[in-house]
Every structure is written in C-alpha cells, then in structure tokens.
Amino acid sequence: MKIRIIEDDPNDLCRIQSQLSLISRQLNIPIQIKAYSNQDDIPYNEPVDCYIVDIQLKDTDGFTICGNIREHDTESVIIFCSHHEELVFHSFRYDIFSFVRKNNLAEDLKEAVNRLAEHLSSDLYYIYSNRADFRKIPYRDILFFESVGNDLYIYLINGEVLRQRKSLVELMKEVSADQFIQLSRNYV
C-alpha cells in the first residue's frame, strides 16, 4: 500500500508515520510512506493508493490540495487528518474516504487503514507487486495478461507494460472469473 502524507508540522508528521508503521506491523500490511510538507513537491502523476492530508497547512489548505489531487488522480483515496474536528462535515464535500482526528490518531488511523486495506483488496482491482512497486490497478485499465516463462506481463490501456513473477494459474486464482477469461495457454 502506497501512502503519501501531506503535513507541514514535523511533530504531527512523526506521529502519523509512527502510527502507520505500527499499523503495518499489527495488520501485516506492507505500507510505503512518502511525506511532503510543500505542495509544490507533490508528484501528483505518480500512482499512489492513499493521500493523508492535513487541512491546515502554512501556505495553503487541505481542501485546495484535495482539488489538486482530483485534477490528476480520481482513483486514489484521500483521508483528511486534522486537529479541526469542526471541519469533519465540510470535508466530506470533497469526496474523501475518511477523516482522522489528530487527538484520536491511533484509533482513527487504524480504522481508516483497515477499511482502506479492505477497499483495495476488493475484486474490482488487481493488486500488482514486485520488489520496486506496489499498486492497485482497476480491472478496467487492464487490456490483457500474457505469460512468458515464469513471468506475467500486464498490458494496460495507457500503453504501460508491467512485469511480475507469477504464473497464469496463480493469476486466475486472484482475478474475478467474470471479469477475465483465459483465451489460450498464455493469455488472459
């Protein structure tokens, strides 16, 4: 699971990262974390599963960041994390997944990550992972799978081809049978 944290308070950032590491161990979920304190540094075009965004930032606000995310990425989940609990209802106007209260960080964040893990493992996504990358790929973005030796190639509609060490037998156990059919010995 790839998570980007957008937080400009070093103490809050440290608390969030520590909690995510603890949750990762408790739930046995691999989590890759990248943190940003400046909105200009955020690579919106790189795939990510989740953004954890502080609402009150020095140069901008989380609502503006949320708009920037949605301009480039409609699939990633957004979780607001804030001391400003009074903004919880306003925040849901921005199509967010969850709201984490910083004064209840451990409990709220664990619940949000647990729900996120369930969301990501739904049968509408293929979970791709190799040593350097982990991401969820919507089924609608996959053209086909090809097996060559011990490698599985995933052809996406954007022209990208991903390689993973996996057999077609393993693949067919993971993907939804009503979404993909095996065309031949090497193609799904």
Side-chain angles (χ1 to χ4, degrees), residues 3 13 15 18 31 39 50 58 64 70 90 97 101 116 122 124 129 131-132 143 145 155 163 168 170 173 179:
I3 297 180
L13 176 59
R15 288 180 53 227
S18 295
I31 299 177
Q39 70 173 340
C50 175
K58 289 177 187 153
T64 302
R70 287 295 174 237
H90 180 71
F97 185 77
R101 300 165 294 172
L116 177 60
S122 74
L124 300 175
S129 64
R131 291 182 187 180
L143 290 173
F145 297 92
Y155 293 83
R163 185 173 67 95
L168 276 186
E170 293 172 303
K173 289 178 184 175
Q179 297 287 327

Side-chain angles (χ1 to χ4, degrees), residues 19-31 113:
Q19 281 301 314
L20 286 172
S21 294
L22 178 63
I23 292 166
S24 174
R25 288 190 304 276
Q26 289 174 339
L27 300 178
N28 197 26
I29 298 171
I31 299 177
V113 170

Side-chain angles (χ1 to χ4, degrees), residues 108-171:
D108 286 2
L109 192 56
K110 185 174 184 178
E111 180 182 330
V113 170
N114 203 9
R115 284 183 41 234
L116 177 60
E118 289 174 13
H119 173 75
L120 293 176
S121 66
S122 74
D123 64 353
L124 300 175
Y125 296 94
Y126 176 71
I127 305 299
Y128 168 78
S129 64
N130 67 19
R131 291 182 187 180
D133 196 8
F134 176 90
R135 63 174 116 161
K136 66 175 173 62
I137 304 169
Y139 280 174
R140 67 179 176 274
D141 290 351
I142 299 173
L143 290 173
F144 64 94
F145 297 92
E146 177 186 22
S147 177
V148 178
N150 292 326
D151 292 328
L152 180 70
Y153 292 88
I154 306 158
Y155 293 83
L156 305 179
I157 59 173
N158 67 2
E160 188 176 8
V161 179
L162 304 172
R163 185 173 67 95
Q164 186 175 30
R165 202 109 169 117
K166 185 177 285 189
S167 71
L168 276 186
V169 172
E170 293 172 303
L171 172 72

Side-chain angles (χ1 to χ4, degrees), residues 14-121:
C14 184
R15 288 180 53 227
I16 294 167
Q17 288 176 314
S18 295
Q19 281 301 314
L20 286 172
S21 294
L22 178 63
I23 292 166
S24 174
R25 288 190 304 276
Q26 289 174 339
L27 300 178
N28 197 26
I29 298 171
I31 299 177
Q32 297 175 11
I33 303 167
K34 288 192 179 178
Y36 301 89
S37 58
N38 183 338
Q39 70 173 340
D40 296 331
D41 296 335
I42 303 167
Y44 295 112
N45 58 342
E46 292 178 13
V48 67
D49 296 308
C50 175
Y51 289 87
I52 297 177
V53 182
D54 184 16
I55 291 178
Q56 185 177 8
L57 300 162
K58 289 177 187 153
D59 297 332
T60 188
D61 61 73
F63 302 121
T64 302
I65 297 286
C66 184
N68 293 341
I69 291 168
R70 287 295 174 237
E71 282 180 24
H72 299 89
D73 181 356
T74 57
E75 298 294 326
S76 295
V77 164
I78 298 172
I79 297 173
F80 278 134
C81 185
S82 181
H83 288 293
H84 295 281
E85 294 177 30
E86 70 276 7
L87 295 174
V88 67
F89 295 111
H90 180 71
S91 69
F92 281 97
R93 295 178 186 166
Y94 292 85
D95 188 31
I96 66 164
F97 185 77
S98 189
F99 187 99
V100 172
R101 300 165 294 172
K102 285 185 179 177
N103 64 349
N104 198 33
L105 185 67
E107 185 178 326
D108 286 2
L109 192 56
K110 185 174 184 178
E111 180 182 330
V113 170
N114 203 9
R115 284 183 41 234
L116 177 60
E118 289 174 13
H119 173 75
L120 293 176
S121 66

